[in-house]
Amino acid sequence: MSAHAFFRVLMAGGTAAMLASAPAIAADWPERPVHVIVAYGAGGGTDTLSRMVAEPLSKTLGQPVVIDNRPGAGGTIGADAAAKADPDGYTMYMMANGHTVAAAMYKELPYDPVTDYDAVSVVARMPLVVVSRPDFEADNLEELVALAKEKPGELTFASVGVGSSQHFAGALLAETLGIDVVHIPYQKTPEALAAVLSGEVDMLVEVLAPVVGQVKAGDIKALAVTSAKRHPALPDVGTVAEAGHDAYDVSTWYGLVFPDGTPDDVVAQANAALGEALGDEALRAKAMETGYIIEGSTPEEFGNQIASDVERWNKVRANADIPQR
């Protein structure tokens, strides 16, 4: 055999070995159920949305989509499990923006919050809302700024804990508005709401879903929503951007990712299947009822969102002097 012939045989054998050891390619994906890790407990916002999406996604994939709750340590247990899962297309992770806040809050994580995942698509967004008791002196953001400047360091805002997404959103809001307000952490939304209504604290920064009913009933007053556009559930409540702060746009987002190393064609097929599922009218209507706005994206767009938010929240933590854990 000539040297050239021997080389061709050697290369052919090497290529065959490489193909045999590679992850399953997307031609037959998926061939079994796909598991979606949720880093929070059953009944929470991320879990609720994941279960809403699972049904139409199961139809487009032709396989069951199984929700796998892995709560604990502020979402980092589930995030770590997702990062270390086999990149074979059968484990996904419903990432929420709390994932990027955790990247700013924890000095050390057992995974890289950006590079250990392959983004598939954004699934939905939900704004936060700044609420106060009905007799609070300010009725909107402009009046809040004026009041805070009259009483520097005297007004307070609550969140569901130090290092929570709500805490970071409130800290960024204070920085953006140029006001000095004091953060008061609580463990749960009902406790924080009770503190607002009793006058123990002046305001609460919270995602829309847990408070929208009480806003509509007039039990609490909404001063502003944090998204760039008004939310259909509260069409009369203005945004921070409308008050002259165009750069402020904060929403709780949710999106699906794979572990890093998942074949590109699996990611592409998952993106296409998810896009079809997110077009389901029943899903969109049900999501809207609870405050979610269904929204898809390309993998690249979602990957950029994750990376930019990690950078953003690190800056907010440093500027607000929020201690890392």
Side-chain angles (χ1 to χ4, degrees):
M1 181 183 293
S2 70
H4 288 298
F6 177 78
F7 182 73
R8 286 197 297 269
V9 170
L10 183 63
M11 288 298 293
T15 301
M18 287 168 58
L19 290 174
S21 64
I25 303 302
D28 299 319
W29 181 86
E31 297 179 299
R32 61 181 190 268
V34 176
H35 288 249
V36 175
I37 292 177
V38 173
Y40 305 96
T46 308
D47 176 74
T48 298
L49 178 65
S50 298
R51 293 178 189 278
M52 284 185 195
V53 173
E55 183 177 351
L57 184 56
S58 295
K59 292 178 181 177
T60 59
L61 290 177
Q63 291 287 347
V65 174
V66 181
I67 303 303
D68 181 2
N69 296 93
R70 306 278 189 98
T76 60
I77 290 176
D80 187 41
K84 291 179 171 58
D86 289 336
D88 57 5
Y90 292 95
T91 300
M92 304 185 82
Y93 170 40
M94 182 62 85
M95 185 182 287
N97 70 313
H99 174 91
T100 59
V101 172
M105 275 301 298
Y106 290 92
K107 294 179 182 178
E108 295 184 5
L109 290 170
Y111 55 87
D112 188 290
V114 177
T115 62
D116 279 353
Y117 307 90
D118 287 338
V120 176
S121 175
V122 172
V123 169
R125 298 183 188 274
M126 181 188 292
L128 292 88
V129 61
V130 182
V131 299
S132 62
R133 61 188 181 275
D135 63 348
F136 184 59
E137 297 94 315
D139 290 326
N140 52 50
L141 207 61
E142 293 88 343
E143 293 180 7
L144 170 62
V145 171
L147 182 64
K149 290 187 174 179
E150 288 177 13
K151 303 177 178 181
E154 295 182 32
L155 298 185
T156 54
F157 81 93
S159 80
V160 290
V162 174
S164 64
S165 299
Q166 295 91 325
H167 177 198
F168 273 67
L172 179 58
L173 180 61
E175 178 185 332
T176 301
L177 299 177
I179 58 177
D180 180 12
V181 293
V182 179
H183 174 239
I184 308 293
Y186 291 83
Q187 291 190 337
K188 297 180 180 179
T189 301
E191 296 174 4
L193 271 174
V196 169
L197 290 171
S198 70
E200 184 177 323
V201 294
D202 296 306
M203 296 165 286
L204 167 65
V205 179
E206 182 55 280
V207 292
L208 182 64
V211 298
V212 64
Q214 287 160 289
V215 172
K216 288 183 175 181
D219 298 331
I220 52 178
K221 176 169 57 179
L223 304 181
V225 293
T226 62
S227 52
K229 297 180 180 179
R230 296 191 182 201
H231 194 280
L234 297 175
D236 297 328
V237 180
T239 70
V240 179
E242 288 175 357
H245 305 279
D246 296 344
Y248 190 94
D249 180 7
V250 177
S251 291
T252 297
W253 52 253
Y254 309 83
L256 285 170
V257 300
F258 282 119
D260 178 48
T262 301
D264 291 344
D265 48 357
V266 171
V267 174
Q269 285 198 37
N271 179 270
L274 182 59
E276 184 178 343
L278 296 181
D280 183 85
E281 290 301 327
L283 167 65
R284 299 178 77 87
K286 187 176 181 180
M288 183 63 74
E289 288 176 4
T290 39
Y292 302 102
I293 298 176
I294 296 297
E295 177 185 318
S297 73
T298 67
E300 182 180 17
E301 288 168 343
F302 186 30
N304 289 339
Q305 171 94 67
I306 296 167
S308 64
D309 273 16
V310 168
E311 183 178 351
R312 180 190 210 186
W313 297 129
N314 266 305
K315 290 179 180 177
V316 169
R317 183 198 57 76
N319 292 341
D321 199 23
I322 300 172
Q324 284 186 303
R325 295 172 182 165

